[in-house]
Amino acid sequence: MSMKPVFERTKGLTEAATHYCPGCTHGMIHRLVGEVLDEMNILEDTIGVASVGCSVLAYEYFNVDMVQAAHGRAPAVATGIKRVEPTKFVFTYQGDGDLASIGIAEAIHAAARGENITVIFANNCIYGMTGGQMAPTSLIGQKTATTPFGRDAKVQGSPIRISEMLATLEGATYIERVSAHDVMHLQKAKKAIRKAFEVQKTGGGFSLIEVLSTCPTGWGIDANEALEWIKSDMIPVYPLGVFKDSTKEMK
Amino acid sequence: MSKILMKGNEVIAEAAVKAGCKYFFGYPITPQSELVAYMARRLPEVGGLFLQAESEVAAVNMVYGAAATGKRVMTSSSSPGFSLKQEGISFLVGSELPAFLVNVMRGGPGLGNIMPAQSDYFQITKGGGHGDYFCPVYAPASLQEIVDLTQVAFDTADKYRTPVIMAADGMLGQMMEPVEFFETEAPELPEKTWAATGERGDGGPKVVNSLHLDAGSLYQHNKHLNEKMETMRENEQRFESQFTEDADFVVVAYGTVSRIAMSAVKEARAKGVKVGMIRPITLWPFPQKPFEETRERAKAYIAVEMSAGQMIEDVRLAVNGHAPVEFYGKNGGIVPTSDEILEKILAVAGGDHK
Ligand SMILES: Cc1ncc(C[n+]2csc(CCOP(=O)(O)OP(=O)(O)O)c2C)c(N)n1
Ligand code: SF4
């Protein structure tokens, strides 16, 4: 197979060393976003919004202007930015606790309003930063710090499928779920991210790319097992694919 | 320009537009809904933007985003909604973002009611959100004063890179008075070189952020914020004193209730009581000077509020034990009458003043 080496530097990221655990795919996803911004030559036209979660320090990693937002509020902050700087590219980078739990209202309404922003949604089925507690996306049976006996639908409810849910909104233009568990899927993920920023470029409206991401530390397994777990356990619950694409209708 | 008759909430809105604010993010709540509606109509006329947010939480975070790009921006709400903005205000402070926030206070706690009140004094003057901070708080007592203070508030926000609050009560928001908008000279303000506009020019990315993981760096950041607050405490106090030169007794009141208290003060004067009045215009920084000037002579102070007694604590600190501080207040939407305040003044003054 001929591929670009995965760890070549991109101008889309700063030189800061990331603080992620070994085997965590947050760094990979950052890289994909950085590459897309660089390849589209929009590094000096972009304002990113960092959320609260393990990726909170994203403002040190992306080589663009960055605004750090309160937990869950990134889509509102991005709305404020985009509405007053409509010619700039604006994106958020959010985890699943941030987006699907505390910030679900902001996410839904940003989508419903058709805000011309791009949301990069790293779903790792857990709260990584605070020590591995249940997220709204945690799988049934998944053991976490706050579901020590496994998530029980009767007690903690069922996983929220953000992509499917937001796809029901007319305001959402492009929604795709991808995965970071191997090189082939990372390439697909990058294409999806590129597509989302292209949608934004044409003034197309709200785009969200959900990336299934690992949290070996929170899941209590090693890096390879974590990649495997995405395949074996997450994808069956969170199928990959495009859930909304109204760019064709728009043409 | 001639005087026009307007409603308080609309005056705040128009004054903000005149102060160069083109962006408003808000959520409806009585008794400030006219402000939101006015902005929805008015801002498109000046090439600006009004956006109704899904909640006050979202609204204040939209303000945070817009402010991060260096734009003049505002939101407004009333008590329950203002509570929801506290996290955002704390972030604005931490990230040093200028913004104008209006609280047209109503009765609380809880859903309370939609009647005028001053019961959010603690929340707006003592930080309100988490962390060590104060925001400048302006408390106009008339619609004309709203016009003047709104300009001052926006300029102060930019000058110190801080959110500023305008505290009105429901009565001020709803009343109608003639006002005049003057062309004011734009003050010299620092350039917003920190703004994340996406247009770097200088090569390096701009970061707007309140996170400082390292204790030493957060300590330094807080020290910087505190120094700024000390400067504001020193330079930004505003107040009005009347009849205080010879006063034995001093009424202290702000906002609408100060107008009612003023008529009580005048009536008491007519009865021979040497009573004066201090009206704090900034609630933070709370004016110290008028107390320093009067406390050697005054026999007592009377704090009059539309609350169960909140500003009285700042009055006590400013009087610093030189004289007793009495209280008269009503809350829950009941506005003290001038007769009641007069009665209180006479009771405190003692003797026979019939
Ligand atoms: C208002 C508020 N509540 C709670 C927290 C604590 N907190 C920080 S990160 C986080 C969860 C983050 O999880 P997720 O978004 O899934 O990101 P991950 O760390 O897994 O990447 C929580 C609850 C906070 N910072 N602010
Ligand atoms: S805790 Fe989980 S999400 Fe956070 S850096 Fe470690 S592996 Fe990544």
Side-chain angles (χ1 to χ4, degrees):
Chain A
M1 238 189 334
S2 94
M3 283 176 309
K4 276 208 276 177
V6 180
F7 285 104
E8 205 176 79
R9 282 198 48 75
T10 162
K11 272 194 283 163
L13 298 181
T14 64
E15 282 172 28
T18 60
H19 66 289
Y20 298 113
C21 306
C24 178
T25 45
H26 267 312
M28 300 274 199
I29 306 170
H30 287 359
R31 198 187 147 73
L32 301 182
V33 175
E35 285 175 357
V36 166
L37 297 177
D38 183 28
E39 285 160 20
M40 288 177 72
N41 201 18
I42 55 173
L43 287 173
E44 299 222 0
D45 278 312
T46 299
I47 305 166
V49 182
S51 65
V52 176
C54 278
S55 62
V56 64
L57 292 177
Y59 62 79
E60 288 187 356
Y61 306 148
F62 289 112
N63 192 17
V64 297
D65 280 6
M66 291 293 296
V67 178
Q68 205 292 313
H71 194 20
R73 315 303 170 211
V77 173
T79 297
I81 297 171
K82 186 73 180 194
R83 292 289 185 131
V84 306
E85 293 284 359
T87 61
K88 301 295 169 203
F89 289 84
V90 178
F91 76 95
T92 70
Y93 187 101
Q94 302 175 257
D96 47 317
D98 192 83
L99 186 144
S101 192
I102 193 167
I104 197 161
E106 284 77 8
I108 290 175
H109 286 277
R113 285 190 303 266
E115 294 295 341
N116 191 26
I117 59 173
T118 298
V119 173
I120 307 296
F121 169 42
N123 179 3
N124 60 11
C125 290
I126 204 158
Y127 285 17
M129 190 188 210
T130 37
Q133 298 85 0
M134 183 190 73
T137 42
S138 293
L139 306 185
I140 298 298
Q142 189 180 335
K143 288 197 172 119
T144 71
T146 49
T147 54
F149 313 108
R151 182 177 186 169
D152 177 350
K154 286 204 195 72
V155 183
Q156 290 100 5
S158 306
I160 299 179
R161 294 183 181 89
I162 289 293
S163 289
E164 286 86 335
M165 193 170 101
L166 294 185
T168 65
L169 298 171
E170 276 168 45
T173 301
Y174 191 79
I175 295 186
E176 181 172 353
R177 183 184 291 120
V178 294
S179 174
H181 72 275
D182 64 23
V183 173
M184 187 193 81
H185 284 88
L186 281 169
Q187 283 172 338
K188 273 196 166 167
K190 184 173 166 184
K191 266 175 89 179
I193 292 167
R194 171 87 190 217
K195 169 88 181 178
F197 278 97
E198 294 290 351
V199 167
Q200 189 175 158
K201 189 174 181 175
T202 60
F206 185 85
S207 55
L208 177 142
I209 305 302
E210 175 173 347
V211 189
L212 302 185
S213 183
T214 57
C215 178
T217 305
W219 298 346
I221 52 183
D222 73 23
N224 283 327
E225 288 168 338
L227 295 171
E228 197 51 43
W229 197 75
I230 290 189
K231 226 173 7 176
S232 60
D233 289 65
M234 280 177 81
I235 292 178
V237 179
Y238 297 111
L240 308 182
V242 176
F243 292 90
K244 183 82 187 274
D245 183 359
S246 40
T247 54
K248 293 181 192 86
E249 301 154 32
M250 290 163 70
K251 275 176 196 154
Chain B
M1 251 184 252
S2 58
K3 293 204 169 192
I4 28 176
L5 193 64
M6 286 178 84
K7 213 174 193 180
N9 283 326
E10 298 177 342
V11 175
I12 301 177
E14 185 57 33
V17 173
K18 292 276 192 307
C21 174
K22 291 209 276 183
Y23 304 104
F24 182 101
F25 300 92
Y27 188 82
I29 184 169
T30 315
Q32 62 83 60
S33 293
E34 296 86 358
L35 206 169
V36 182
Y38 188 93
M39 283 308 206
R41 232 178 20 247
R42 181 75 170 101
L43 285 175
E45 290 175 7
V46 293
L49 169 104
F50 164 86
L51 189 64
Q52 179 167 330
E54 60 270 31
S55 67
E56 289 86 352
V57 174
V60 73
N61 282 286
M62 291 173 184
V63 165
Y64 180 91
T69 72
K71 304 284 188 295
R72 278 200 164 174
V73 57
M74 73 176 288
T75 184
S76 71
S77 190
S78 177
S79 311
F82 213 74
S83 289
L84 282 180
K85 293 189 197 287
Q86 294 306 318
E87 179 199 33
I89 297 172
S90 170
F91 272 68
L92 287 165
V93 172
S95 298
E96 297 192 82
L97 295 179
F100 181 55
L101 308 134
V102 180
N103 183 359
V104 183
M105 291 182 275
R106 64 186 238 183
L111 205 46
N113 63 22
I114 59 169
M115 315 286 280
Q118 297 180 323
S119 329
D120 301 349
Y121 184 91
F122 285 151
Q123 188 186 53
I124 55 183
T125 62
K126 309 290 175 196
H130 58 286
D132 266 323
Y133 73 87
F134 298 94
C135 301
V137 181
Y138 295 92
S142 70
L143 302 207
Q144 188 59 52
E145 198 175 28
I146 288 175
V147 175
D148 308 338
L149 290 180
T150 301
Q151 179 74 46
V152 171
F154 272 105
D155 294 343
T156 307
D158 280 349
K159 185 167 161 197
Y160 295 97
R161 290 184 60 183
T162 179
V164 297
I165 295 168
M166 176 166 282
D169 54 71
M171 215 156 124
L172 202 64
Q174 298 296 320
M175 72 168 63
M176 291 187 86
E177 276 179 352
V179 291
E180 194 167 356
F181 293 93
F182 300 95
E183 294 294 329
T184 51
E185 226 173 281
E188 194 113 357
L189 292 167
E191 215 186 312
K192 295 181 174 176
T193 49
W194 45 266
T197 58
E199 251 165 72
R200 311 210 302 242
D202 60 359
K206 306 257 173 43
V207 173
V208 171
N209 172 44
S210 64
L211 179 69
H212 300 266
L213 278 176
D214 168 64
S217 99
L218 183 55
Y219 175 76
Q220 287 306 328
H221 178 61
N222 272 314
K223 209 166 136 192
H224 159 70
L225 294 180
N226 289 335
E227 280 163 8
K228 235 169 49 171
M229 286 166 206
E230 275 316 307
T231 312
M232 291 193 270
R233 225 194 268 273
E234 205 45 50
N235 300 337
E236 303 302 331
Q237 293 178 24
R238 284 173 184 255
F239 60 91
E240 187 181 73
S241 301
Q242 278 182 282
F243 311 122
T244 49
E245 297 79 17
D246 66 341
D248 291 329
F249 305 97
V250 181
V251 170
V252 188
Y254 69 95
T256 355
V257 77
S258 69
R259 296 164 63 152
I260 302 162
M262 194 60 220
S263 54
V265 164
K266 283 182 181 156
E267 279 181 65
R269 277 260 160 193
K271 290 181 191 294
V273 183
K274 284 188 180 169
V275 57
M277 171 133 131
I278 295 173
R279 177 170 75 87
I281 296 173
T282 49
L283 303 183
W284 193 92
F286 193 77
Q288 303 298 315
K289 283 176 211 124
F291 293 93
E292 283 157 13
E293 283 162 11
T294 53
R295 67 192 185 191
E296 301 294 339
R297 170 189 179 96
K299 297 191 181 109
Y301 290 79
I302 309 168
V304 179
E305 301 177 60
M306 294 192 314
S307 79
Q310 300 193 19
M311 177 192 65
I312 186 172
E313 296 194 358
D314 283 331
V315 176
R316 286 211 176 100
L317 287 172
V319 170
N320 202 15
H322 284 79
V325 180
E326 302 275 336
F327 177 71
Y328 187 77
K330 286 266 171 83
N331 62 7
I334 300 175
V335 180
T337 66
S338 104
D339 282 352
E340 289 165 355
I341 300 169
L342 175 63
E343 205 176 302
K344 179 71 187 183
I345 295 171
L346 298 181
V348 171
D352 191 16
H353 297 286
K354 287 283 141 62

